[in-house]
Amino acid sequence: MAGEKEKKVSKGEVKEERKPKAPAAEEAAKKKAAAPKDEAPQEPQVDVDTLPLVKRVKEVKGEFIEDVKYFRGEITFLVKKEGIVDLCHFLKDDSETQFDFLTEVIGTHYPEREKPFEVVYHLYSTSKKHRVRLKVQLAEDEEVESVFPVWRSATWYEREVYDMLGIRFANHPDLKRILLPDDWEGHPLRKDYPLQGPPGYREAWIKAHCASTNKL
Amino acid sequence: MAQELVLVVIKMIVVFAVALLIVAYLTYFERKIIGHMQLRLGPMRVGPHGLLQPIADGLKLFVKEDIVPHDSDRWTFYFAPILNLVCALVLLAVIPFSYNFMVTRLNIGVLYVLSLASVGTIALLLAGWSSGSKYPIMGGLRSAAQIFSYEIFLGFSIMGVLMISGSLDLVKIVEAQSKVWNIVYQPVAFVVYVIAALGELNRVPFDLPEAENELVAGFHTEYSGFKFAYFFLAEYANMIVVSCMAVILFLGGWKGPVLPGIVWFLIKMCAFFYFFIWVRATFPRYRYDQFMRIGWKIMLPIALANIVVTGVVMMLV
Amino acid sequence: MGLVQKVLMKDLLIGLRRTVTYNYQKAITMQYPKEKWTPYPRFRGVIRLTHDEEGNLKCIACGMCARACPVGCITVKTEGKGKERKLVDFVIDFGVCLFCGLCVEACPVKGKAIEMTSYYEAATYDRNEMIFDINKLQADYKAWERSFKK
Amino acid sequence: MMEKGLMDKGSVEGQVTEDLMRDTLKTREMWLNMGPQHPSTHGVLRLILALEGERIVDTEIVIGYLHRGMEKLAEAKTYPQFLPYTDRLDYISSHAMNFGYVLAVEKLMGIEVPERAQYIRVMMAELTRISSHLIWLATHALDIGAMTVFLYCFREREMILDLFEMACGARLTTSYFRIGGVAHDLPDGFIEQAREFCKIFPKKAQDYDDLILKNRIWLSRTVNVAKISGEEGLNLGLTGPNIRGSGVYWDIRKDEPYSNYDKLDWEIAVEHGCDVYARYLVRLKEMRESCKIVSQCLDILEKLDGPVMAKVPKVIKPPEGEVYASVEAPKGELGFYIVSDGSPKPYRLKIRAPSFANLISVPTMVRGHMVADVIAVIGSIDVVLGEVDR
């Protein structure tokens, strides 16, 4: 966890939790006692390699898979950057997987990591009714291939990731900002981007738009 | 001579003043009726049951800022609404509200009405074009297409009536219906006439030139203040004229038992307004190409067939 | 739809019949300033501070509400520490408030030191008037409610 | 800027040039800017249309006028604090939005929600679906010109909003669901009033059918307009009633049942017309199915007693990890992807907004149609800009 984030959390929380801390801990303990009943079936030590989907993917496209995770019933593949389009094509067309629907493309920023960016793909199969998550990790200036040839909906999702995090997608037909104005500076969902916009932005906005009210 | 002139002037003033008042209150009744059809109340605030609403609206439009777009063709932009209203009001001059209550009796009344009505539509085209904006020009183009298609079968639809009565004089047409109204002889023509009238008036389901959901406000998007009021008045004045023509051509004009002729005329006219408003509250809007198709492929053949059938029957009887 | 029905415009006539029947039924409009909507008991309107039987504020100045607020529109100013903590001012900016009710839920006082009233006519001409201080937050809306309640 | 954007798509430019070559007259397409202030773009959607006469050659969609940075805000709020924000995503179906969010957090924490709360949630979500579809029908019909349908729909919607106000205290931004259950139990008299609604609604819904279902004008405006096949729809990210209008049997409530949907008896509404009219029929059927679900829930709730909140720690601190949970919102698949680092605030929260994804296919749908059809198409896919821009 980033130092900055840690600090923010502690600043906000330690003060707040002065009172409820004890009950919270109690609750947590109580929950731990009661929880295994609910959680245990969800979090058994599943051997991921026995899952049919993982087996199939590892069998055919094993060279692109770096890691497989299983959490709360969801399978996550950590995919090598070069293999993403190839893997997507396979997942879409293979008769055992049939992931015909791209649910979304997400970008995440982990500033403390060596490869700070992560692009997450959620896939769904309307015939097999199962889901999978693919992850690609990227270094600061790396690009990832667009999955636009596989699912056309990726155009917008990837534009949003670019807009919010500045991750570039190679071979994207029209990579530009989507939610923010074209002349916006910075990428707001990066962790180093301040919550209330760039410094001075808010004040300038108030000056321009709320001249009549002196307090906001 | 002088006496006659004074009489004509008085008639003119009465007809136009009453017409403008009726027009203003038509908007009120439209809002009220549509409101009630939609389980609302319509205007309620200005005066009892909102009765002064049209006057308040008029005053509001009068004092509103009069905006002229930068890219507009200035003089045409000013001229179009005036032309539209003048055409609409001038039409009222030949309408016989009863046997002797009319501004002037013209022996080619039908022709006069048809020709001036199309001039009024040109005003819409001018308005759309001169605004120098994209939505109005699309509205203007649509109204131009309407002139060409709907004017034609509007004319054809009343041809049967003219054949029966043998005159273009509106008074004579009414007199010819002393015993039986023309709607009995010409039911098909009546339906065609009503549909053509809806198209001619830019009313739902044919209100394409001003389709507010597509073209914002169509040809009068850029108009504001009193120039907008001109269009508004003209639209309702046109509604009066079209309703009057329907009453004269198909519903026996002022003919009716007991009540004086003018009262009968107004009752029939109001029934027609109600129908227009009723239609507006009920139907969706046609698309532009569908509207053209209905005009040329369905209505025109029906109107022509009606003429042929009327002719054949008249020859045989 | 058969040809006869099509020529007779049955589809259109059904619609026309529907609108004309409603024309002669009672409208469902509520004429707002004249008649007013009586909210249900749970309505989340403007927030006020409550009193105990002796007429003192119930608030113990713990600041739980301020911490629960998603937008941070509540400011609780206190004096002193520990058991001597005293409430100095309690400010809610209703220009920012979401009226979500999380503050009331967070209140640890028995019987809740803050409550959401049914008052909904809180519009103002000036943003600053939407900032309620401790005095304004004790306003009683009972009279307002009684003025239109059936 | 806008010209460049359109020209970037090489195929479009090619198309236009071809048209120019074909016509001996030198004509140029007209650029029409529809929105963000336009009567029928449902908020602040902006479309840049390239027109040839009234026919659409190309469309570019510009969004973001309502962007509030929800995802960034979420990173600064604790888990319970973000809940009222989800109301403001799709503000006409806030229960469904809450539902998606709390499901995701509960999945992350492994909380089991009490039965009674489950049924209350399902009932509220279905009432929301009806009210959302009513607004959709109202505005869609208004866009096509049938303005009376609008008022009739709102009449029934008011009944639903009354129910919401009764149970939650707010009519629109309800914030009723909590992580682990719902905020309050149902108030007295709720079940009776809800039952009355279920009884009245199918009768009142006859009004909309009378006005437009078989109306020839409505048919000519919607049938065979904006056809999109199921396969293409999936490729373009269509979900919810829109994809079911193209003959795809896909409803998350059936396929991955959450919150007791599998214990209730109802059917997926599917039509095979692939056009605007099919999407209209799907939603009409869905409203009636939802009504069925609500009355079943009411039957169960009458007998079922119990708590409406699970035992949830005061400070919600989920374990480290990431989950994706989705619900069938009225507009389509609503998903929340939450990455937790073990702190009381989400590390990353991504909202998969159905309207955003549904908009992607609009340019494909409207190509070759007329300006008036654009309105019908936007109406038929049912966008809410609060959700698109987030």
Side-chain angles (χ1 to χ4, degrees):
Chain A
M1 196 62 269
E4 189 204 323
K5 169 101 184 164
E6 199 98 276
K7 224 162 59 195
K8 227 195 308 176
V9 168
S10 59
K11 221 172 102 195
E13 289 309 317
V14 170
K15 196 176 63 189
E16 288 168 20
E17 282 164 28
R18 201 175 292 140
K19 261 196 163 174
K21 195 143 215 176
E26 243 175 64
E27 286 270 7
K30 228 191 283 166
K31 205 172 135 9
K32 238 175 213 161
K37 211 164 20 99
D38 309 334
E39 276 185 64
Q42 264 190 26
E43 290 298 309
Q45 286 303 319
V46 177
D47 185 10
V48 284
D49 291 332
T50 58
L51 298 167
L53 177 68
V54 179
K55 244 193 219 163
R56 175 73 184 159
V57 173
K58 280 209 165 167
E59 190 182 296
V60 186
K61 296 281 168 190
E63 74 265 27
F64 297 135
I65 309 296
E66 282 181 349
D67 193 12
V68 188
K69 270 189 206 145
Y70 187 78
F71 180 69
R72 301 275 190 241
E74 293 173 3
I75 303 167
T76 309
F77 287 110
L78 193 58
V79 184
K80 284 185 188 141
K81 170 167 88 73
E82 311 79 58
I84 186 71
V85 178
D86 203 1
L87 184 69
C88 284
H89 267 302
F90 163 74
L91 287 173
K92 190 185 180 188
D93 300 333
D94 187 61
S95 61
E96 273 187 40
T97 54
Q98 290 188 20
F99 285 105
D100 49 359
F101 189 74
L102 173 66
T103 312
E104 58 181 344
V105 179
I106 304 154
T108 318
H109 189 204
Y110 298 94
E112 78 283 10
R113 284 193 192 168
E114 196 184 325
K115 289 183 163 183
F117 292 110
E118 205 172 75
V119 182
V120 184
Y121 302 82
H122 280 144
L123 310 185
Y124 180 69
S125 159
T126 50
S127 44
K128 297 266 177 186
K129 320 283 183 202
H130 55 182
R131 291 181 188 273
V132 75
R133 178 183 302 134
L134 310 178
K135 272 187 178 180
V136 178
Q137 291 187 336
L138 299 171
E140 188 66 54
D141 293 322
E142 273 185 326
E143 284 188 357
V144 64
E145 193 83 3
S146 168
V147 294
F148 152 76
V150 194
W151 297 282
R152 267 157 70 202
S153 53
T155 46
W156 277 38
Y157 301 147
E158 286 172 354
R159 270 175 73 187
E160 196 193 332
V161 173
Y162 164 70
D163 191 3
M164 291 299 160
L165 288 130
I167 300 170
R168 299 196 70 87
F169 291 86
N171 297 337
H172 189 284
D174 187 23
L175 194 65
K176 58 179 182 185
R177 288 192 181 271
I178 184 163
L179 291 175
L180 297 175
D182 284 8
D183 54 354
W184 193 266
E185 276 172 32
H187 298 284
L189 278 184
R190 290 190 178 196
K191 291 285 172 188
D192 49 8
Y193 192 90
L195 180 65
Q196 295 202 330
Y201 179 79
R202 192 176 135 89
E203 288 70 28
W205 191 89
I206 290 170
K207 213 173 160 190
H209 297 279
C210 310
S212 57
T213 50
N214 45 22
K215 204 169 151 192
L216 194 94
Chain B
M1 183 66 203
Q3 205 183 1
E4 239 169 66
L5 201 70
V6 170
L7 206 64
V8 166
V9 169
I10 289 170
K11 274 181 188 169
M12 263 165 72
I13 290 167
V14 170
V15 168
F16 288 144
V18 170
L20 280 177
L21 203 69
I22 289 176
V23 162
Y25 271 88
L26 264 187
T27 63
Y28 170 78
F29 284 117
E30 170 152 27
R31 290 171 66 178
K32 270 286 184 199
I33 291 169
I34 290 187
H36 280 285
M37 283 181 173
Q38 296 173 339
L39 300 164
R40 296 182 288 121
L41 291 165
M44 286 295 277
R45 282 291 141 74
V46 193
H49 280 261
L51 265 172
L52 299 176
Q53 186 71 41
I55 293 159
D57 283 347
L59 280 175
K60 180 200 76 176
L61 285 172
F62 196 70
V63 296
K64 254 187 143 178
E65 189 191 355
D66 198 16
I67 300 163
V68 180
H70 186 262
D71 280 346
S72 65
D73 188 314
R74 208 182 171 80
W75 293 112
T76 325
F77 190 74
Y78 276 111
F79 175 63
I82 298 168
L83 178 67
N84 196 10
L85 184 63
V86 167
C87 284
L89 290 180
V90 162
L91 284 174
L92 286 171
V94 294
I95 303 290
F97 292 95
S98 78
Y99 184 74
N100 43 18
F101 188 81
M102 69 194 95
V103 177
T104 177
R105 186 171 166 177
L106 209 63
N107 58 357
I108 49 158
V110 176
L111 206 60
Y112 173 88
V113 170
L114 281 181
S115 51
L116 267 175
S118 22
V119 176
T121 329
I122 287 174
L124 307 190
L125 181 58
L126 285 180
W129 175 77
S130 65
S131 296
S133 169
K134 284 170 186 172
Y135 286 110
I137 199 147
M138 283 171 80
L141 286 173
R142 284 178 176 192
S143 78
Q146 274 186 6
I147 310 175
F148 293 126
S149 45
Y150 275 61
E151 201 66 38
I152 289 172
F153 72 82
L154 183 75
F156 278 130
S157 70
I158 59 180
M159 215 60 91
V161 175
L162 301 184
M163 285 157 78
I164 291 171
S165 49
S167 170
L168 285 173
D169 186 344
L170 293 170
V171 179
K172 275 190 186 156
I173 292 173
V174 175
E175 288 299 306
Q177 302 176 57
S178 299
K179 289 196 186 84
V180 188
W181 294 355
N182 275 337
I183 188 171
V184 179
Y185 296 129
Q186 296 279 332
V188 178
F190 179 69
V191 173
V192 175
Y193 176 84
V194 170
I195 291 169
L198 286 171
E200 189 73 14
L201 286 171
N202 306 329
R203 296 283 300 180
V204 172
F206 305 122
D207 62 340
L208 303 159
E210 51 176 281
E212 78 267 14
N213 303 98
E214 298 147 26
L215 301 184
V216 188
F219 61 87
H220 58 57
T221 307
E222 302 291 347
Y223 282 90
S224 62
F226 224 66
K227 293 204 291 295
F228 172 74
Y230 281 166
F231 280 119
F232 209 68
L233 291 173
E235 189 187 324
Y236 284 86
N238 273 327
M239 261 172 84
I240 295 184
V241 174
V242 167
S243 310
C244 289
M245 285 300 284
V247 172
I248 292 163
L249 294 170
F250 294 99
L251 299 179
W254 58 86
K255 301 282 179 195
V258 191
L259 295 170
I262 184 125
V263 176
W264 270 114
F265 193 93
L266 288 177
I267 288 171
K268 290 170 186 171
M269 203 174 82
C270 287
F272 239 82
F273 290 148
Y274 186 80
F275 178 73
F276 284 143
I277 294 164
W278 187 10
V279 165
R280 181 170 172 203
T282 311
F283 294 140
R285 177 183 305 113
Y286 268 115
R287 204 172 60 205
Y288 169 62
D289 58 328
Q290 292 162 346
F291 167 69
M292 289 297 133
R293 191 161 60 229
I294 292 164
W296 290 102
K297 288 191 180 164
I298 303 172
M299 289 303 155
L300 191 63
I302 291 177
L304 285 172
N306 184 54
I307 295 171
V308 173
V309 172
T310 311
V312 170
V313 172
M314 279 176 79
M315 252 169 68
L316 294 177
V317 176
Chain C
M1 206 167 22
L3 186 70
V4 179
Q5 285 179 350
K6 206 164 182 180
V7 171
L8 290 176
M9 304 188 186
K10 191 189 166 199
D11 50 330
L12 303 182
L13 293 177
I14 291 170
L16 286 172
R17 194 187 64 194
R18 176 60 53 207
T19 39
V20 82
T21 43
Y22 276 124
N23 194 358
Y24 301 103
Q25 288 185 12
K26 209 169 171 291
I28 51 170
T29 313
M30 175 179 266
Q31 298 212 59
Y32 164 57
K34 269 194 226 157
E35 318 164 49
K36 278 178 190 164
W37 171 251
T38 316
Y40 287 98
R42 279 186 191 170
F43 186 78
R44 302 203 303 256
V46 170
I47 298 165
R48 72 183 284 274
L49 296 169
T50 54
H51 300 93
D52 55 16
E53 294 85 46
E54 287 145 37
N56 299 322
L57 284 177
K58 278 188 189 169
C59 183
I60 55 166
C62 64
M64 292 289 275
C65 46
R67 263 173 256 142
C69 181
V71 288
C73 68
I74 304 177
T75 320
V76 185
K77 283 180 197 150
T78 55
E79 229 172 46
K81 279 206 168 149
K83 290 223 159 165
E84 266 108 70
R85 191 162 50 184
K86 240 173 59 202
L87 183 67
V88 176
D89 202 359
F90 197 104
V91 184
I92 301 183
D93 184 354
F94 283 107
V96 184
C97 181
L98 296 172
F99 296 96
C100 61
L102 288 184
C103 47
V104 180
E105 251 166 66
C107 185
V109 180
K110 217 174 165 193
K112 303 290 174 193
I114 52 173
E115 63 172 10
M116 301 197 94
T117 62
S118 59
Y119 186 66
Y120 53 78
E121 292 181 317
T124 58
Y125 284 102
D126 187 356
R127 235 171 225 278
N128 295 326
E129 283 172 36
M130 309 268 288
I131 301 170
F132 281 34
D133 64 1
I134 191 158
N135 298 322
K136 231 173 157 187
L137 279 172
Q138 294 178 48
D140 199 359
Y141 302 110
K142 289 265 156 50
W144 173 81
E145 238 171 62
R146 251 178 273 122
S147 68
F148 60 85
K149 226 175 197 169
K150 281 153 234 155
Chain D
M1 169 206 121
M2 64 171 157
E3 301 230 351
K4 191 171 155 283
L6 276 154
M7 285 309 173
D8 280 348
K9 296 173 200 151
S11 63
V12 176
E13 197 183 7
Q15 173 80 39
V16 174
T17 346
E18 206 183 287
D19 291 345
L20 286 178
M21 300 284 274
R22 197 182 54 231
D23 303 336
T24 41
L25 272 172
K26 281 263 178 196
T27 58
R28 208 157 53 93
E29 76 273 24
M30 180 164 89
W31 301 88
L32 189 70
N33 195 9
M34 193 180 256
Q37 288 131 344
H38 184 279
S40 343
T41 49
H42 293 225
V44 285
L45 178 64
R46 177 176 168 215
L47 299 152
I48 304 167
L49 305 172
L51 298 176
E52 230 175 42
E54 285 223 9
R55 214 159 275 283
I56 287 145
V57 183
D58 194 18
T59 320
E60 186 177 344
I61 296 178
V62 183
I63 56 174
Y65 293 91
L66 207 59
H67 179 61
R68 292 153 294 176
M70 288 270 194
E71 288 165 15
K72 184 79 180 172
L73 277 169
E75 291 170 12
K77 310 276 166 206
T78 62
Y79 285 93
Q81 275 183 349
F82 188 63
L83 190 105
Y85 283 84
T86 57
D87 287 336
R88 275 100 185 145
L89 284 169
D90 176 356
Y91 35 78
I92 57 172
S93 48
S94 44
H95 279 306
M97 300 289 127
N98 290 348
F99 206 168
Y101 177 66
V102 295
L103 274 185
V105 180
E106 281 158 10
K107 190 173 178 186
L108 189 61
M109 297 186 63
I111 297 174
E112 190 93 348
V113 179
E115 273 302 89
R116 187 172 165 85
Q118 301 264 28
Y119 282 111
I120 293 177
R121 282 182 179 186
V122 168
M123 179 180 67
M124 286 300 182
E126 292 309 311
L127 283 172
T128 303
R129 189 181 314 279
I130 301 175
S131 88
S132 168
H133 282 355
L134 281 174
I135 285 216
W136 158 80
L137 178 59
T139 48
H140 184 37
L142 186 69
D143 287 348
I144 296 188
M147 59 171 166
T148 303
V149 182
F150 186 86
L151 275 297
Y152 294 172
C153 287
F154 268 61
R155 176 188 56 186
E156 271 75 75
R157 182 172 170 266
E158 282 301 303
M159 295 176 74
I160 298 177
L161 294 192
D162 282 357
L163 288 172
F164 287 172
E165 192 190 322
M166 206 170 165
C168 330
R171 298 172 80 81
L172 215 57
T173 50
T174 47
S175 303
Y176 183 50
F177 295 12
R178 293 287 180 274
I179 295 159
V182 291
H184 323 271
D185 204 341
L186 297 175
D188 295 338
F190 181 91
I191 290 187
E192 291 75 47
Q193 205 167 324
R195 227 181 253 296
E196 200 190 322
F197 170 77
C198 291
K199 215 171 73 195
I200 288 176
F201 179 71
K203 283 182 213 152
K204 298 265 183 177
Q206 186 60 36
D207 288 354
Y208 333 135
D209 294 354
D210 279 357
L211 284 172
I212 50 180
L213 181 69
K214 287 200 176 113
N215 187 304
R216 67 183 67 189
I217 306 171
W218 182 263
L219 289 174
S220 62
R221 283 298 301 276
T222 54
V223 174
N224 283 336
V225 171
K227 285 193 101 125
I228 188 154
S229 69
E231 199 181 332
E232 204 182 358
L234 286 175
N235 202 356
L236 285 166
L238 274 188
T239 51
N242 300 318
I243 196 76
R244 288 196 284 278
S246 299
V248 177
Y249 284 83
W250 175 24
D251 193 316
I252 298 169
R253 291 175 289 170
K254 266 275 195 270
D255 296 340
E256 303 161 88
Y258 53 92
S259 284
N260 292 347
Y261 269 111
D262 45 347
K263 294 180 191 161
L264 301 162
D265 172 39
W266 59 282
E267 280 164 33
I268 306 181
V270 176
E271 289 289 330
H272 296 270
C274 305
D275 51 12
V276 173
Y277 190 62
R279 298 194 269 275
Y280 158 76
L281 291 178
V282 165
R283 290 198 176 90
L284 279 191
K285 205 172 152 197
E286 262 187 32
M287 283 199 267
R288 291 181 168 118
E289 289 297 320
S290 293
C291 203
K292 253 167 69 184
I293 299 179
V294 171
S295 38
Q296 285 174 48
C297 285
L298 288 171
D299 289 342
I300 294 167
L301 283 171
E302 251 181 358
K303 289 171 208 137
L304 186 72
D305 253 336
V308 291
M309 266 302 268
K311 282 229 153 43
V312 179
K314 266 244 165 73
V315 177
I316 291 177
K317 264 185 170 179
E320 242 175 90
E322 52 191 341
V323 290
Y324 174 81
S326 58
V327 294
E328 183 74 26
K331 315 280 188 294
E333 178 179 348
L334 170 79
F336 281 86
Y337 170 69
I338 302 178
V339 181
S340 158
D341 58 353
S343 74
K345 296 177 182 178
Y347 185 74
R348 171 85 167 95
L349 186 140
K350 171 75 169 68
I351 304 154
R352 192 228 181 250
S355 297
F356 177 81
N358 289 347
L359 264 184
I360 301 173
S361 53
V362 167
T364 319
M365 284 188 189
V366 300
R367 184 161 302 169
H369 285 298
M370 310 192 75
V371 176
D373 291 326
V374 177
I375 303 302
V377 172
I378 294 172
S380 83
I381 64 159
D382 191 12
V383 287
V384 165
L385 269 292
E387 194 183 41
V388 173
D389 296 340
R390 280 157 286 153

